[in-house]
Amino acid sequence: MALIGMMGSGKSTAGFWLAQSEGLRFVDLDAAIEERQGRSVPEIFEADGEDCFRDMEQSELAACLTSLQPLVVSCGGGAVLRAENRELLRNRAWVCWLRATVETLGQRVRAGENRPLLGENPMVDLEAISAARAGLYAEAANEVVDVDGLEAEQVAEQIKRLWPRAVPVR
Ligand code: S3P
């Protein structure tokens, strides 16, 4: 199972809950990249640029989704940008889009805090990024959960209700 959506939509927290309660392995894609690289996402953006980060993200996602072990993977917000990733997600995972309004996202992310894509006015950036990506999230997702006003545990419960258990490895 893969969770997609904007930064601040709560993918990592809900994914962690979900994996715990289902006894599944949990992978946070950003954390996996950071571990492999031995540096933080902002450091990678700063030193190598976004393209290079996207290459790392693509190979980490492929590694996760080609493993046979059932897992919950929480994808970075931009993982849907590459067509190859969207295709991989569609073919290899059951995908849930955690959709949030820009207001909700703005409350949860603060500029400079591990968010290399946000500048001085995070709301403006979030609005633009969210609008540009909505179609990509929709294209990759099997289901959508609107997370506004929900706690991570409630989001996890909603995902569980939508998740077709008949397809175990996904
Ligand atoms: C990004 C989202 C981040 C991280 C990187 C780029 C994006 O992940 O991968 O800063 O392009 O939206 P989260 O969605 O987990 O914050």
Side-chain angles (χ1 to χ4, degrees):
M1 174 194 318
L3 304 182
I4 59 171
M6 286 286 291
M7 57 188 98
S9 59
K11 295 160 296 193
S12 301
T13 324
F16 178 79
W17 273 106
L18 203 53
Q20 284 264 309
S21 72
E22 293 293 320
L24 295 171
R25 178 176 159 227
F26 173 65
V27 176
D28 178 294
L29 214 53
D30 285 341
I33 295 166
E34 289 182 332
E35 196 174 316
R36 198 179 290 278
Q37 288 290 317
R39 38 192 187 144
S40 71
V41 171
E43 281 168 349
I44 299 168
F45 266 73
E46 171 84 25
D48 301 341
E50 181 172 349
D51 269 2
C52 195
F53 172 77
R54 298 296 173 204
D55 290 341
M56 297 170 189
E57 182 174 56
Q58 185 173 347
S59 48
E60 204 66 52
L61 181 67
C64 277
L65 294 184
T66 49
S67 108
L68 289 177
Q69 192 185 12
L71 49 74
V72 177
V73 54
S74 148
C75 300
V80 296
L81 288 171
R82 291 195 171 173
E84 296 92 329
N85 291 351
R86 298 197 297 279
E87 196 181 328
L88 192 68
L89 283 163
R90 272 199 312 269
N91 291 337
R92 297 283 310 180
W94 179 82
V95 183
C96 190
W97 173 18
L98 304 194
R99 184 168 58 189
T101 61
V102 173
E103 288 68 33
T104 297
L105 299 174
Q107 285 160 13
R108 295 183 184 177
V109 303
R110 264 177 271 144
E113 262 187 8
N114 233 16
R115 312 285 184 188
L117 291 181
L118 301 185
E120 291 200 341
N121 195 337
M123 290 303 279
V124 171
D125 295 333
L126 286 169
E127 177 88 57
I129 298 170
S130 182
R133 288 184 186 165
L136 304 179
Y137 291 132
E139 184 190 322
N142 294 98
E143 294 285 353
V144 184
V145 169
D146 285 305
V147 301
D148 305 289
L150 299 183
E151 299 292 333
E153 256 183 290
Q154 296 173 302
V155 173
E157 285 307 317
Q158 290 215 14
I159 298 169
K160 273 206 263 186
R161 260 177 255 139
L162 294 167
W163 180 37
R165 282 153 200 279
V167 196
V169 288
R170 295 184 160 196

